Amino acid sequence: MSNTKNITEKEVQALIQGKLSRYFGVAPKEATKDQIYKAVVMSVRDILLEKRQQFHKVMRSKNGKRVYYMCMEFLLGRSLKNNIYNLGLGDEYAKALKGFGLTLDDLYEQEPDAGLGNGGLGRLAACFMDALATGNYPAMGYSIRYDYGLFKQKIVDGWQMELPDIWLPGGEVWLTQRSDKACTVKFDGWVREDWTENGLKVTYGGYKEVEALPYDMMISGKDSEAVSVLRLWRARNISHFDMKLFSQGDYLRCMEEENEAEVISKVLYPADDHYEGKSLRLKQQYFLVSASLQNIINDHKHRYGPLNLLPQQAAIHINDTHPALAIPELMRLLMDENGFTWDDAWAITTATFAYTNHTVMAEALETWQEDLIARRLPRIHMILKEINRRFCNDLWERFPGQHQFIEKMAVISNGQVRMANLSVIGSHKVNGVSALHSDIIKKSIFNGFYQIWPDKFTNVTNGIAHRRWLCQANPELSGLLTDCIGDGYVKNAAELEKFKKFVNDDSVLKRLQEIKRIKKQQFADYAFKKEGVTIDPDSIFDVQAKRMHEYKRQLLNAMNVISLYAELLDDPNKDIHPQTFIFGAKAASGYLRAKQFIKLICYLAEDIKKHPKINEKLNVVYMENYNVTMAECMIPATEVSEQISLAGKEASGTSNMKFMLNGALTIGTLDGANVEMSETVGDDNIFIFGLRADEVDEVWSRGYNASSYYNQNQRLRRVVEMIARGFNGESFAEIANYLLTGTPVADPYMCMADFDSYTATQKKVKDLYVQDQKKWAQISLMNIAGAGVFAADRSIKEYAENIWNLKPLKA
Ligand code: 26W
């Protein structure tokens, strides 16, 4: 079975039948759809396992280096379609299923989304697993097997409610429990240091132990030999009860302790770009890194022996600061459990780790209270203090007397442990996720470090799994591309460039338009089926889909809609092309301002509905529970992509790339990867507006005065007043005040400053749509053709070459 290409329809059928009979005791005829779905997944798992074993053999024979990607989030979405597609077994499975009276699409619908992530960071990690396997890189991802992923969003009367996301019943079939790799993680207790003739001896006692039980999920690459493994840790109570409590008859307390351990992997924290110093979150982080590092070290010893070779054999990636405790944890394992000296352990540690920063938002930078770490992780606390002491000592020598400079770079200060500083100090490479963002971190938050270690800093612009977001989500467009340029782009996205040649080919442009219309209809059907909303497929689909956040400025989008609404209220007969503004976004559960924005948009939508004539031209749709699967339907249907964050705030953005790849035209600020998108396609093919990042800084340093825009701009005044008066019988004066008089500053994300240029650009884009469909299609084509550099395959190659020093492995 090593060459999956050779698997026949009959073999597939036999595999599925075998699973049905073995695990469910049913014949295909009696099986439910759910049973068939599970049997199909199990059959795919078998194929992947076999492939993985073959790849393992190659890895062992070549003694290759591996990358370990640690991340608190993997926003996988569904897996069945991706794996069948990547294995090239679509036809075989489709035919085999026909025998059971089912289509592949029927089964895909059975799979729940694995929503083990909040947004961009988690989805990036998932796209990277795919690209690693496709590039034949030996890779393992590490995360937590949350019982509940990101909450399910319900919107009740405009207000977001969170419901538990129960994904395991249908998702667990992908996971293989690996009891053979279980280990334990220790919390609390005390540490004693004794000087012995062999030096300092550290004893750790009185701790509580939690069992870490791994579950593996395999992710296939496209036409490659490698299979990536995602290892997800589940927390379990150590099976030995506290017999003392038990025999004292305190049975219930025994059970309580069991629960205490298991809550660690219960639920994904739903905060995105906002950090909360909760003890449980700290435990999750340490649980992830301790279990993963024990696993890496055991494997290394088993395969290669001496741990001083670790940096040659293992690259460990810290995705944002969430897994940064891996740095002191590796120090602990090397020193306390493997007898290394501090200096040797530090050399190994820093040569092994690399770190990616994903945000410069101050409120997202993690700092833990030192006393919390001291209590929960006493040995880690000691090591952190020592890392800090040595680092500050070095700085004192290099920069005598520069107290402020040094204080800013310390790991521990004022009783707070700064995870970003720890990550920079403990890694040999640090990267940002777009050219602009990498530049900003060197100039701002990491400037001191950049002065000391200029070569440590680098950029790797994010990328997306183009096979998922184009080939699988938009087979119609993918088919057109294959007709025009062949299918080389599937493996090598740079070949999309060849599509440029067709920019004056009317028949291709026409097909492009037809395909967009098909995707719009499909999305309209989906929206109707899911939420009962009616969308006119001939209206312009203008979409903003991403986490709800002030800096992403869904509010600015709403302000433009309100401005159009005002125009139509004044003149309901005004001749404008029908537009549908579609939103998809979850707000962090405690983020009231973001929830208020959701309510504003929902109430605005309702208000407009009260004027059927206006509603024909202006429709607002808030899609509930935006997730990966919804994105796969929504993005191909989009004509206008909203990438309108305040410049300097969005580290990269990745939905911008997905929309572009599917032929949407972008309205955006020069922020994150939008900058590189505009350089790639040229000014004529993207619609840039608003202040640039340096201008934003300048305005702030001069003093930003939101109300001056209000006073000078009548249209804007009208919009803010309409917000204050409210929609659908509800006032949103709080939001109007936020824009005008908010404290500590009014309009902190400068919606007022960018309003004019945003609405003007909106108008320009919509006019183009009406006036020149051909030009529109040409721009769309140029975006598709330019999207190749934003493939995750390219990002991963750069990580491998510039950061991990990792080579692809082939038999
Ligand atoms: C501690 C709470 C918390 C949780 C998650 C803070 C910050 C995060 C993430 C860093 C948020 C995130 O997803 N950031 C996004 O990462 C993407 C991938 O690099 C970028 O494209 C987005 O611009 C960035 O917002």
Side-chain angles (χ1 to χ4, degrees):
M1 213 158 38
S2 69
N3 187 349
T4 52
K5 280 261 156 80
N6 296 334
I7 299 176
T8 65
E9 164 200 344
K10 288 271 165 294
E11 283 169 317
V12 168
Q13 208 157 38
L15 260 173
I16 300 172
Q17 264 170 15
K19 299 292 176 196
L20 281 173
S21 118
R22 175 144 184 225
Y23 292 96
F24 304 104
V26 293
K29 264 202 239 117
E30 313 151 29
T32 64
K33 216 197 240 181
D34 185 59
Q35 287 170 331
I36 297 181
Y37 155 73
K38 285 182 176 149
V40 165
V41 171
M42 287 178 199
S43 72
V44 171
R45 246 175 56 188
D46 278 3
I47 297 168
L48 289 172
L49 186 65
E50 169 111 15
K51 215 177 143 183
R52 172 75 190 173
Q53 278 162 355
Q54 299 281 346
F55 189 61
H56 245 260
K57 268 194 214 146
V58 178
M59 254 161 34
R60 271 196 299 269
S61 70
K62 305 225 162 144
N63 265 354
K65 185 173 183 173
R66 286 204 226 181
V67 63
Y68 300 95
Y69 198 82
M70 285 190 190
C71 187
M72 289 286 282
E73 308 190 5
F74 280 83
L75 187 45
L76 297 159
R78 288 176 174 163
S79 291
L80 185 57
K81 192 182 200 172
N82 187 50
N83 278 311
I84 290 184
Y85 174 88
N86 278 354
L87 290 167
L89 292 174
D91 286 346
E92 288 73 11
Y93 268 90
K95 285 186 204 146
L97 284 169
K98 216 167 168 190
F100 305 144
L102 284 169
T103 68
L104 263 175
D105 282 330
D106 288 334
L107 287 197
Y108 294 154
E109 288 305 310
Q110 285 296 113
E111 184 175 358
D113 261 46
L116 310 184
N118 274 288
L121 164 111
R123 183 54 232 173
L124 184 78
C127 285
F128 280 2
M129 294 306 284
D130 183 285
L132 282 161
T134 300
N136 280 315
Y137 295 104
M140 178 105 117
Y142 282 111
S143 194
I144 292 177
R145 197 209 72 149
Y146 302 106
D147 290 353
Y148 303 101
L150 185 62
F151 62 83
K152 248 172 89 175
Q153 179 189 52
K154 269 237 115 8
I155 295 177
V156 181
D157 193 19
W159 198 250
Q160 170 181 295
M161 310 285 237
E162 299 87 25
L163 297 178
D165 163 54
I166 302 167
W167 73 284
L168 280 171
E172 204 172 15
V173 267
W174 286 108
L175 306 176
T176 310
Q177 187 184 314
R178 297 293 304 268
S179 338
D180 56 314
K181 303 271 181 192
C183 59
T184 65
V185 178
K186 301 183 173 89
F187 295 95
D188 299 354
W190 46 259
V191 180
R192 202 180 57 224
E193 291 175 289
D194 299 296
W195 280 102
T196 67
E197 57 214 48
N198 300 321
L200 191 66
K201 189 171 172 296
V202 175
T203 316
Y204 181 23
Y207 45 75
K208 290 184 186 152
E209 275 186 299
V210 175
E211 186 185 21
L213 183 61
Y215 288 74
D216 284 0
M217 178 162 173
M218 285 168 293
I219 298 163
S220 168
K222 176 71 183 157
D223 297 339
S224 68
E225 289 169 31
V227 173
S228 298
V229 175
L230 177 56
R231 185 158 285 173
L232 302 173
W233 297 99
R234 175 185 183 188
R236 283 219 310 200
N237 184 51
I238 292 282
S239 16
H240 57 252
F241 278 112
D242 183 339
M243 285 312 285
K244 216 163 71 211
L245 284 178
F246 195 58
S247 56
Q248 285 164 2
D250 211 345
Y251 176 74
L252 285 178
R253 240 184 78 205
C254 281
M255 293 300 169
E256 235 167 65
E257 293 206 345
E258 171 160 339
N259 282 334
E260 203 182 308
E262 303 201 345
V263 289
I264 293 177
S265 57
K266 223 4 126 216
V267 61
L268 166 79
Y269 267 81
D272 154 278
D273 273 10
H274 186 87
Y275 140 84
E276 271 180 288
K278 290 270 174 10
S279 172
L280 180 59
R281 169 82 175 179
L282 180 72
K283 280 185 166 180
Q284 286 188 334
Q285 296 186 346
Y286 183 67
F287 175 72
L288 165 63
V289 301
S290 179
S292 307
L293 283 172
Q294 291 180 55
N295 189 237
I296 293 169
I297 284 185
N298 286 341
D299 272 6
H300 178 93
K301 283 185 171 169
H302 178 71
R303 280 187 298 145
Y304 310 107
L307 278 170
N308 53 352
L309 294 179
L310 190 69
Q312 277 86 63
Q313 301 300 340
I316 307 181
H317 206 81
I318 304 179
N319 205 28
D320 214 275
T321 58
H322 319 150
L325 288 171
I327 293 162
E329 175 65 1
L330 181 57
M331 291 295 287
R332 183 187 74 80
L333 289 164
L334 291 171
M335 295 187 302
D336 298 1
E337 297 190 3
N338 292 279
F340 281 83
T341 63
W342 180 280
D343 288 329
D344 290 344
W346 187 246
I348 293 172
T349 298
T350 51
T352 304
F353 286 116
Y355 152 64
T356 301
N357 173 281
H358 293 264
T359 180
V360 288
M361 303 280 295
E363 64 267 37
L365 292 181
E366 287 188 297
T367 56
W368 289 104
Q369 284 204 322
E370 192 181 354
D371 54 7
L372 179 66
I373 295 192
R375 200 163 55 224
R376 290 283 166 257
L377 310 167
R379 177 61 182 140
I380 293 300
H381 177 232
M382 286 173 62
I383 294 171
L384 285 169
K385 280 201 300 192
E386 185 62 10
I387 291 174
N388 186 51
R389 191 189 64 80
R390 287 174 182 244
F391 178 66
C392 290
N393 275 352
D394 284 352
L395 289 184
W396 279 118
E397 265 169 40
R398 279 182 71 165
F399 307 95
Q402 298 200 34
H403 182 81
Q404 260 191 333
F405 179 75
I406 295 170
E407 196 283 324
K408 247 181 37 200
M409 282 191 285
V411 178
I412 305 176
S413 172
N414 278 324
Q416 300 282 318
V417 182
R418 298 162 171 162
M419 305 309 271
N421 291 8
L422 171 67
S423 302
V424 174
I425 296 165
S427 300
H428 67 285
K429 284 278 175 193
V430 176
N431 74 288
V433 288
S434 72
L436 175 69
H437 168 66
S438 295
D439 211 47
I440 289 176
I441 60 176
K442 288 194 283 193
K443 287 189 183 137
S444 61
I445 51 170
F446 296 144
N447 184 259
F449 297 107
Y450 177 60
Q451 288 180 42
I452 310 176
W453 299 301
D455 296 338
K456 203 184 253 207
F457 290 84
T458 184
N459 171 249
V460 182
T461 299
N462 282 167
I464 57 172
H466 73 286
R467 285 169 292 274
R468 176 183 284 262
W469 295 104
L470 170 65
C471 308
Q472 295 159 42
N474 198 344
E476 295 86 352
L477 178 55
S478 188
L480 172 62
L481 285 163
T482 304
D483 290 347
C484 293
I485 61 172
D487 64 2
Y489 72 91
V490 173
K491 284 275 300 209
N492 178 12
E495 288 192 18
L496 285 170
E497 187 96 20
K498 295 183 187 165
F499 196 40
K500 277 188 189 156
K501 278 200 308 246
F502 296 85
V503 73
N504 291 312
D505 184 325
D506 287 337
S507 68
V508 170
L509 294 172
K510 190 157 158 277
R511 275 188 73 189
L512 211 50
Q513 287 168 310
E514 287 162 0
I515 287 166
K516 188 58 85 180
R517 183 62 175 66
I518 292 170
K519 301 314 279 182
K520 287 168 73 180
Q521 183 69 57
Q522 286 174 2
F523 180 72
D525 293 345
Y526 170 92
F528 185 73
K529 203 167 124 204
K530 277 207 77 130
E531 290 173 30
V533 295
T534 315
I535 302 178
D536 170 9
D538 290 314
S539 63
I540 304 172
F541 283 21
D542 182 312
V543 178
Q544 188 169 15
K546 48 182 83 252
R547 284 297 290 258
M548 181 63 64
H549 206 293
E550 288 162 86
Y551 85 79
K552 296 180 190 278
R553 299 201 295 191
Q554 282 92 350
L555 179 58
L556 180 59
N557 186 340
M559 287 164 74
N560 173 63
V561 177
I562 294 167
S563 175
L564 288 173
Y565 188 26
E567 282 175 38
L568 287 165
L569 283 168
D570 291 346
D571 176 9
N573 295 319
K574 194 178 158 90
D575 183 27
I576 68 165
H577 192 88
Q579 307 183 45
T580 304
F581 290 89
I582 301 166
F583 293 83
K586 292 180 182 175
S589 42
Y591 190 174
L592 291 184
R593 175 83 61 203
K595 287 186 161 180
Q596 228 174 23
F597 290 171
I598 296 178
K599 187 166 176 182
L600 170 72
I601 297 165
C602 292
Y603 271 57
L604 173 61
E606 285 309 306
D607 205 286
I608 297 173
K609 282 202 178 62
K610 292 185 175 151
H611 306 271
K613 207 154 163 216
I614 294 179
N615 197 196
E616 277 172 23
K617 295 177 191 159
L618 182 62
N619 193 14
V620 175
V621 173
Y622 202 103
M623 293 295 293
E624 195 175 63
N625 199 39
Y626 178 64
N627 62 11
V628 173
T629 297
M630 187 187 291
E632 287 166 5
C633 184
M634 194 148 144
I635 292 172
T638 298
E639 290 168 307
V640 180
S641 156
E642 300 276 351
Q643 306 300 335
I644 60 177
S645 51
L646 175 64
K649 298 293 180 197
E650 188 70 271
S652 159
T654 41
S655 78
N656 45 3
M657 304 167 184
K658 294 165 197 164
F659 285 110
M660 172 193 196
L661 179 64
N662 279 281
L665 274 55
T666 302
I667 295 186
T669 46
L670 279 180
D671 200 14
N674 297 354
V675 176
E676 288 148 270
M677 280 166 52
S678 79
E679 280 162 7
T680 307
V681 296
D683 292 347
D684 295 341
N685 295 310
I686 188 165
F687 298 87
I688 297 294
F689 73 94
L691 295 170
R692 282 176 285 126
D694 52 337
E695 291 169 337
V696 169
D697 290 344
E698 210 185 285
V699 173
W700 281 115
S701 60
R702 277 205 319 260
Y704 174 54
N705 181 359
S707 52
S708 70
Y709 296 91
Y710 176 87
N711 295 327
Q712 284 159 28
N713 184 333
Q714 197 206 324
R715 246 171 3 102
L716 177 56
R717 205 153 55 230
R718 173 114 185 249
V719 166
V720 177
E721 276 157 13
M722 281 172 79
I723 294 175
R725 215 172 318 122
F727 301 101
N728 198 28
E730 177 107 359
S731 159
F732 290 91
E734 231 178 288
I735 296 179
N737 290 337
Y738 163 84
L739 289 171
L740 279 179
T741 57
T743 43
V745 275
D747 187 24
Y749 296 96
M750 302 173 110
C751 294
M752 307 284 277
D754 279 345
F755 176 81
D756 221 16
S757 77
Y758 176 57
T759 50
T761 308
Q762 268 282 349
K763 182 158 178 358
K764 190 167 123 190
V765 173
K766 304 292 159 75
D767 284 348
L768 176 70
Y769 191 91
V770 177
Q771 289 158 11
D772 198 343
Q773 275 288 304
K774 178 171 174 186
K775 183 83 200 296
W776 186 280
Q778 287 177 312
I779 298 179
S780 172
L781 183 146
M782 291 304 282
N783 273 273
I784 299 165
V789 282
F790 300 109
D793 296 343
R794 187 268 315 146
S795 307
I796 284 300
K797 189 160 179 282
E798 289 180 15
Y799 275 102
E801 286 170 5
N802 305 335
I803 296 181
W804 301 328
N805 190 21
L806 183 72
K807 305 242 159 7
L809 269 191
K810 285 194 98 164

